[in-house]
Amino acid sequence: MTDSCIIRHFEHYAELGQDDRELLDSLEKTPKDFSKGQLIWQQGMESDHFYTVRSGWACSFRNMEDGSRQVQDLYVPGDIVGLREFAFRRRVSNLLTVTNTTLCPFPKNRLTDVFSTSRLLCNLFFLIAARDQAILVERLINLGRRTAREKVAHFLLEMAHRLDKACMDVHDCNHLPLTQVLLADALGMSTVHANRTLNELKQESLTALGPDGITLLDRDGLKDVAGFDPEYLDADVEGLLKNIGAPASSQPA
Amino acid sequence: MTDSCIIRHFEHYAELGQDDRELLDSLEKTPKDFSKGQLIWQQGMESDHFYTVRSGWACSFRNMEDGSRQVQDLYVPGDIVGLREFAFRRRVSNLLTVTNTTLCPFPKNRLTDVFSTSRLLCNLFFLIAARDQAILVERLINLGRRTAREKVAHFLLEMAHRLDKACMDVHDCNHLPLTQVLLADALGMSTVHANRTLNELKQESLTALGPDGITLLDRDGLKDVAGFDPEYLDADVEGLLKNIGAPASSQPA
DNA sequence: CGATGGATTGACAATATTCAAAGACAGTGG
DNA sequence: CCACTGTCTTTGAATATTGTCAATCCATCG
């Protein structure tokens, strides 16, 4: 059997039985390649699929009336994109590739079949949804109650940490392929201010800025700046598996 | 059979079979009363239950190092509190009552039983989690890319709209029992600035301020200020029910 | 080579925070 | 019934933070 994208994703958490593997494999469609800067879906379109990210980065965002933009989340290899839209007939935001990207589509309305068929997968999907919420909450706190310095440092650390866990084909988890425009739109600040803040951190040798993105040079230093605690990124998979009586993965999350 | 809190909650969405009713009823524990300003749980505590709100308001929040506070979400009658923590062993935030409140506890680890037993309830739980995400995303946009005026107007409209749908025992959905401190902490601004903004809206006869909270006087006017679109609050329950082949509720959401 | 999208800079303006003080109000206990 | 307390609200003035505008730089790409 091929190791489809979503199977790899779930085996990251737990050991799947043959049934589960076949189920997922039958539902995942062939991967699709997208080039950098491509708009994958738009607000208002019918939300019939979600995607797993096989490689590359993407972001979801909303265009505001005044022409500005709010980036809601970034997606790295291993992430599932569009689970949010389970509750809605139409897409509530736009999705854009940040780099060249390969995505694996999965039909949304088949999710209910998965829930019925596999106790394990059902619970894992729910766990993922809960972790997604935790990420959103942390971003909320970032926007609401942190200074620009803290925002930037915190966000960079979060993405690096998420890359750490995703690390499938990713070489250097300290390098983030983000433009400053994107960073600013994710953190609700102006590009100019993002730039100044980033250069401030660069002066302190905490980050490096290149034409191909941002590099974290000193995670501990950044952690001091941001007060970063990665707990919200570490879902308690073991506890869940124990509760539902499933075997843990040999390759812990 | 008694109509437990969570049954009422789900019957809001769909017609439950006798099995589902019995299942939920067997799991829900006796309601607990909390007085205004009571801390229900704290960050770091074991997250063994979630709650449905039978009456009153509550909020989840995080205390920051500098002494400030970020309110993550408010909960009104009919809401489920703590689903987020499904993925975590310990609570990731604090929960506080805003008014006198009655909550119905539900053991977290029994959720997996519900998933296994009832196709309908499983899907509804997932839908609720997805809608929760949509609410968080909208708050994110609020914090990131809107002015203070827009933030306040948008937030008030959201809460009023959520009350509209919840309206079980609520008399006046235009009245929100919020202090200005709470509002400010939810919107990531200072109390002083929240106060000034609120008084600006009061000058324009859009809101009224009393000792017992904030009242919306002119929803259309506020909608003009905020660019509010309630779509993200209206989950597509019908589409879901059709997909899983369940009968719709006579009392549509 | 010019076009393009991002990065950078300085000057200025708008927005929001802080600090400090005072007013309003409900609840408490004498 | 009254003072006393604590919480929430309101206000002004000074300050800090962040955004806007406009220009320039720089690398890449066709």
Side-chain angles (χ1 to χ4, degrees):
Chain A
M1 182 184 295
T2 70
D3 64 330
S4 76
C5 190
I6 198 156
I7 286 181
R8 278 204 293 171
H9 181 86
F10 279 107
E11 296 224 304
H12 192 63
Y13 292 121
E15 215 174 281
L16 301 185
Q18 193 60 20
D19 290 353
D20 291 341
R21 294 174 58 89
E22 277 169 20
L23 174 63
L24 288 178
D25 202 60
S26 71
L27 293 178
E28 182 172 305
K29 303 194 177 171
T30 50
K32 282 173 83 170
D33 291 323
F34 297 91
S35 59
K36 177 178 172 174
Q38 205 172 337
L39 195 60
I40 297 178
W41 71 55
Q42 248 177 317
Q43 208 178 337
M45 287 173 60
E46 195 178 351
S47 64
D48 43 3
H49 287 76
F50 59 87
Y51 294 98
T52 44
V53 181
R54 183 192 279 269
S55 71
W57 289 49
C59 72
S60 57
F61 67 96
R62 169 93 56 89
N63 281 123
M64 307 299 292
E65 284 187 0
D66 66 353
S68 68
R69 189 176 70 153
Q70 176 65 46
V71 168
Q72 297 163 6
D73 205 357
L74 290 174
Y75 302 97
V76 303
D79 282 344
I80 297 183
V81 187
L83 268 191
R84 256 206 281 298
E85 262 113 356
F86 180 80
F88 301 93
R89 200 164 49 82
R90 300 193 296 168
R91 315 236 84 123
V92 292
S93 56
N94 308 288
L95 185 69
L96 183 76
T97 54
V98 174
T99 65
N100 292 337
T101 304
T102 306
L103 302 177
C104 304
F106 193 104
K108 187 183 96 172
N109 60 13
R110 305 302 299 277
L111 205 53
T112 61
D113 297 334
V114 175
F115 292 162
S116 305
T117 312
S118 170
R119 181 181 166 82
L120 173 61
L121 293 177
C122 172
N123 279 276
L124 284 177
F125 267 111
F126 207 82
L127 176 129
I128 290 166
R131 192 189 93 129
D132 284 350
Q133 277 198 33
I135 291 176
L136 287 174
V137 164
E138 197 65 33
R139 183 109 60 253
L140 205 73
I141 290 168
N142 220 13
L143 294 200
R145 286 291 182 230
R146 284 199 256 256
T147 65
R149 259 174 81 84
E150 293 167 343
K151 281 183 199 180
V152 170
H154 194 281
F155 183 75
L156 295 179
L157 283 168
E158 175 184 310
M159 292 319 299
H161 203 276
R162 284 169 64 178
L163 266 191
D164 287 343
K165 321 197 84 180
C167 258
M168 308 163 87
D169 321 318
V170 183
H171 317 294
D172 177 7
C173 296
N174 284 315
H175 179 260
L176 315 177
L178 302 173
T179 67
Q180 298 185 12
V181 179
L182 194 65
L183 185 84
D185 285 341
L187 297 177
M189 50 204 269
S190 68
T191 313
V192 173
H193 199 53
N195 175 269
R196 289 198 235 265
T197 308
L198 230 23
N199 272 305
E200 198 179 300
L201 296 175
K202 178 179 153 195
Q203 293 308 317
E204 303 163 38
S205 303
L206 298 173
T207 61
L209 309 176
D212 51 348
I214 302 166
T215 304
L216 286 73
L217 294 180
D218 177 0
R219 287 209 195 186
D220 289 334
L222 286 169
K223 205 169 279 193
D224 288 341
V225 171
F228 179 78
D229 176 355
E231 195 176 8
Y232 69 100
L233 295 171
D234 297 317
D236 179 27
V237 183
E238 277 182 45
L240 177 69
L241 295 178
K242 216 169 77 180
N243 188 37
I244 67 174
S249 169
S250 50
Q251 171 197 357
Chain B
M1 179 184 300
T2 71
D3 63 331
S4 77
C5 189
I6 197 157
I7 287 181
R8 278 205 292 172
H9 181 88
F10 279 107
E11 295 223 306
H12 192 64
Y13 292 123
E15 214 174 283
L16 300 185
Q18 192 60 19
D19 289 353
D20 291 340
R21 294 174 59 90
E22 276 170 21
L23 174 63
L24 288 179
D25 202 58
S26 72
L27 293 178
E28 183 172 305
K29 303 192 176 173
T30 49
K32 283 174 83 170
D33 290 323
F34 297 91
S35 59
K36 177 177 172 174
Q38 206 172 338
L39 195 60
I40 297 178
W41 72 55
Q42 248 177 318
Q43 209 178 337
M45 289 173 59
E46 196 178 350
S47 63
D48 43 4
H49 287 77
F50 59 87
Y51 295 99
T52 44
V53 181
R54 184 192 279 268
S55 70
W57 288 49
C59 73
S60 58
F61 68 97
R62 170 93 56 88
N63 281 122
M64 308 299 292
E65 284 187 2
D66 66 352
S68 67
R69 189 176 71 151
Q70 176 65 46
V71 168
Q72 296 162 9
D73 205 358
L74 291 174
Y75 302 98
V76 303
D79 282 343
I80 298 182
V81 187
L83 269 190
R84 255 206 280 299
E85 262 115 355
F86 180 79
F88 301 93
R89 199 164 51 81
R90 298 193 297 167
R91 316 236 84 121
V92 293
S93 56
N94 308 288
L95 185 69
L96 183 76
T97 54
V98 175
T99 64
N100 291 337
T101 303
T102 306
L103 301 177
C104 303
F106 193 104
K108 187 183 96 170
N109 61 12
R110 305 302 299 276
L111 205 54
T112 60
D113 298 335
V114 175
F115 293 162
S116 306
T117 312
S118 170
R119 180 182 167 81
L120 173 60
L121 292 177
C122 172
N123 278 277
L124 284 177
F125 267 112
F126 206 82
L127 175 129
I128 290 166
R131 192 190 93 130
D132 284 351
Q133 278 198 34
I135 290 176
L136 287 173
V137 164
E138 198 64 33
R139 182 110 60 256
L140 205 73
I141 290 168
N142 220 14
L143 294 200
R145 286 290 183 231
R146 284 199 257 255
T147 65
R149 262 175 78 86
E150 293 166 342
K151 281 183 199 180
V152 171
H154 193 282
F155 183 76
L156 295 180
L157 283 169
E158 176 184 311
M159 293 319 300
H161 203 275
R162 283 169 65 179
L163 267 191
D164 286 343
K165 320 197 85 182
C167 259
M168 310 164 86
D169 321 317
V170 183
H171 316 292
D172 178 6
C173 296
N174 284 316
H175 179 260
L176 315 177
L178 302 174
T179 68
Q180 297 183 16
V181 179
L182 194 66
L183 185 83
D185 284 342
L187 296 178
M189 49 204 269
S190 68
T191 312
V192 173
H193 198 51
N195 175 267
R196 290 197 234 266
T197 308
L198 229 24
N199 273 306
E200 199 180 299
L201 296 176
K202 178 180 154 195
Q203 292 309 318
E204 303 164 37
S205 303
L206 299 173
T207 60
L209 308 178
D212 52 349
I214 301 166
T215 304
L216 286 73
L217 294 179
D218 177 0
R219 288 211 195 185
D220 289 335
L222 286 169
K223 204 169 278 195
D224 288 341
V225 171
F228 180 76
D229 177 355
E231 195 175 9
Y232 69 100
L233 294 171
D234 297 317
D236 179 28
V237 182
E238 278 183 44
L240 176 69
L241 295 178
K242 216 169 77 179
N243 188 37
I244 66 175
S249 168
S250 50
Q251 172 196 0

